[in-house]
Amino acid sequence: MLVLAIDTSTPTVTTGVAEVIPGDGIVVRAERAVDTPRGHAEILTTLILDCLTEAGVARADLDAVVVGCGPGPFTGLRVGMATAAAFADALGLPLHGVCSLDAIASDAATTGAGRVLVVTDARRREVYWALYGPDGRLAGPAVDTPADLIEWLRGEQAPDVTVGSPDHVRLIGAQHVDAATSPTTAGLVATARPSVESWATPEPVVPLYLRRPDAVATADRAR
């Protein structure tokens, strides 16, 4: 099965083409990851087409589209989800949404870590986070200040390692491993794999904003 993966939940725009081999692994045929905090819309479609060309895959060859649903800033996240929805609709493909933090945790799981905390930049001096154990997500996704998160993590909640945004990993001060700092093609597809392989109709894709957008209509500002 050939899967197109897209994520714009972080400053890194990620897209790629992966082959899911039933009963075996996931082979990434092509991937692009570009750090561009405010240029998601300008480059995403070009990166997708570059990946299809490098992988030697025509759009008609794709079997599914996987998209990271956040949490992430409103504008950047919307770019990736709208683009993924447009590709899936135009090609008649199922669209599978996954939590972007789950995708990062999936990559970290390959390091053999136990309890894994994933943190990404939520701006406004806050972080998006989720805590994972060997059997899956234990808490989150949520958005908090680093100080509030550190306080919550004391005691039994303390992770073995922290991955994600390097600046926030250092701020939290936990041990980190050499793992992905943003969702990867392999992580996105691995997270969606049970749904993709089932060929079942996926649930509607819903963005995980976790808070209101920065942009507010003029009439609502005073309120």
Side-chain angles (χ1 to χ4, degrees):
M1 302 176 68
L2 293 170
V3 181
L4 172 67
I6 296 171
D7 188 277
T8 57
S9 65
T10 73
T12 301
V13 176
T14 299
T15 188
V17 176
E19 182 178 2
V20 178
I21 304 173
D24 201 345
I26 295 171
V27 178
V28 177
R29 300 267 292 265
E31 182 175 45
R32 296 288 186 276
V34 178
D35 189 23
T36 172
R38 301 189 184 278
H40 295 49
E42 289 79 4
I43 67 171
L44 179 55
T45 300
T46 299
L47 295 180
I48 292 172
L49 297 178
D50 285 348
C51 286
L52 290 170
T53 299
E54 180 180 321
V57 173
R59 280 171 278 189
D61 296 331
L62 293 170
D63 296 297
V65 179
V66 172
V67 64
C69 296
F74 182 83
T75 302
L77 185 58
R78 183 176 57 183
V79 169
M81 295 189 68
T83 302
F87 263 81
D89 183 64
L91 299 172
L93 300 174
L95 175 63
H96 302 269
V98 299
C99 173
S100 301
L101 302 181
D102 290 359
I104 299 175
S106 176
D107 281 317
T110 63
T111 66
R115 292 165 66 90
V116 177
L117 176 69
V118 178
V119 292
T120 59
D121 186 6
R123 302 176 185 172
R124 301 183 186 175
R125 299 181 180 179
E126 293 179 325
V127 293
Y128 297 117
W129 66 270
L131 182 66
Y132 299 83
D135 297 323
R137 195 192 311 155
L138 301 174
V143 58
D144 285 295
T145 65
D148 287 343
L149 177 56
I150 291 169
E151 181 63 29
W152 183 83
L153 289 171
R154 296 186 187 280
E156 295 182 0
Q157 305 294 346
D160 297 313
V161 297
T162 302
V163 298
S165 167
D167 289 342
H168 295 94
V169 168
R170 286 191 292 269
L171 185 61
I172 291 171
Q175 178 186 0
H176 66 279
V177 295
D178 186 17
T181 59
S182 59
T184 65
T185 298
L188 291 163
V189 176
T191 303
R193 182 171 186 167
S195 178
V196 170
E197 288 191 323
S198 73
W199 291 100
T201 301
E203 295 292 325
V205 174
V206 179
L208 295 170
Y209 292 129
L210 300 189
R211 66 185 182 201
R212 297 178 182 274
D214 294 333
V216 179
T218 302
D220 293 334
R221 286 177 185 168
R223 185 164 66 248

